[in-house]
Amino acid sequence: TYDIKIYPWARSLSMAETEENVLIYSISRTEKRENIYRWIGVISPIRFYIYALNSRSDIQTMKDIDQAKPYRVGVAHKDALEQYFLDKKFPNIASSYDNEINIKRLFLGDIDLWPMSEYTANYFLGKISHKPSDLKKIHEIKGFANGDQYMAMSLSTDIRVVKKIQDALKKIKHD
């Protein structure tokens, strides 16, 4: 048997790194994460953008990600995007418990920019009764997470369990 439980992102990552038989999805596959998990497979393609409020006329489309450095960037704690912006030496990173808090902070003016996938951005906009036209994409984050979202399991999970889940994912994709 199995239980499906949803936890805050940082806790989910910690559990997947320290406990056996923990499956985590959807997760970005990055170089730093490569040897931390057993990778099940791709569950969806994804594109990431940096968003700003459409009402912010002072924030324009950016050709280079470094143009975003002067702004306050809201990310979820322990998320791959947090690490991405830390690696790029962004000085104004505001980490929150989760991305629902970040979208609210964007509308409150506590942060200026919000990096997120388009699908996830639209999901959180709907949760707070806003529409996609309230935001504007100012930069596409290319090369981040290889353009895919994955399913992964804790490294201590028995390889036979991993194989069963990989086979089930392949069957779902085939059907």
Side-chain angles (χ1 to χ4, degrees):
T1 66
Y2 60 88
D3 294 319
I4 296 175
K5 297 180 182 174
I6 299 172
Y7 295 101
W9 187 248
R11 183 172 175 196
S12 297
L13 289 175
S14 177
M15 290 172 64
E17 291 171 13
T18 60
E19 299 176 21
E20 68 179 18
N21 299 325
V22 175
L23 182 134
I24 190 165
Y25 69 93
S26 62
I27 184 169
S28 298
R29 190 171 185 168
T30 65
E31 188 177 320
K32 290 187 181 209
R33 290 178 171 171
E34 187 62 34
N35 297 317
I36 298 174
Y37 306 104
R38 293 192 187 275
W39 296 95
I40 302 300
V42 173
I43 56 174
S44 70
I46 196 161
R47 292 172 77 172
F48 288 89
Y49 299 91
I50 298 176
Y51 289 92
L53 292 177
N54 203 19
S55 60
R56 291 283 305 264
S57 59
D58 60 314
I59 302 176
Q60 298 299 316
T61 301
M62 299 174 184
K63 291 183 188 256
D64 186 84
I65 196 160
D66 286 341
Q67 292 175 276
K69 282 187 175 179
Y71 297 97
R72 293 167 297 166
V73 179
V75 294
H77 183 59
K78 296 284 187 180
D79 187 88
L81 284 165
E82 179 185 53
Q83 190 60 54
Y84 176 83
F85 284 94
L86 286 170
D87 289 348
K88 296 237 176 247
K89 308 280 190 254
F90 268 64
N92 301 311
I93 297 172
S95 295
S96 295
Y97 170 71
D98 68 25
N99 278 302
E100 187 168 354
I101 292 170
N102 282 327
I103 188 69
K104 291 175 182 176
R105 291 178 73 201
L106 185 67
F107 280 97
L108 290 171
D110 292 340
I111 60 173
D112 304 305
L113 304 176
W114 184 46
M116 188 52 48
S117 73
E118 184 171 24
Y119 175 80
T120 306
N122 290 340
Y123 168 77
F124 282 115
L125 282 165
K127 280 191 83 171
I128 62 167
S129 300
H130 280 276
K131 26 187 204 318
S133 60
D134 292 334
L135 298 183
K136 59 185 173 185
K137 297 173 188 171
I138 60 159
H139 183 78
E140 182 177 356
I141 305 171
K142 296 197 184 237
F144 174 74
N146 299 320
D148 291 317
Q149 288 290 278
Y150 286 78
M151 187 181 288
M153 293 197 76
S154 47
L155 209 50
S156 58
T157 302
D158 186 301
I159 195 67
R160 293 172 294 192
V161 172
V162 172
K163 179 77 171 116
K164 282 182 185 178
I165 295 173
Q166 285 172 329
D167 291 345
L169 180 61
K170 285 178 189 168
K171 183 173 178 3
I172 289 169
K173 286 178 167 184
H174 183 265
D175 293 346

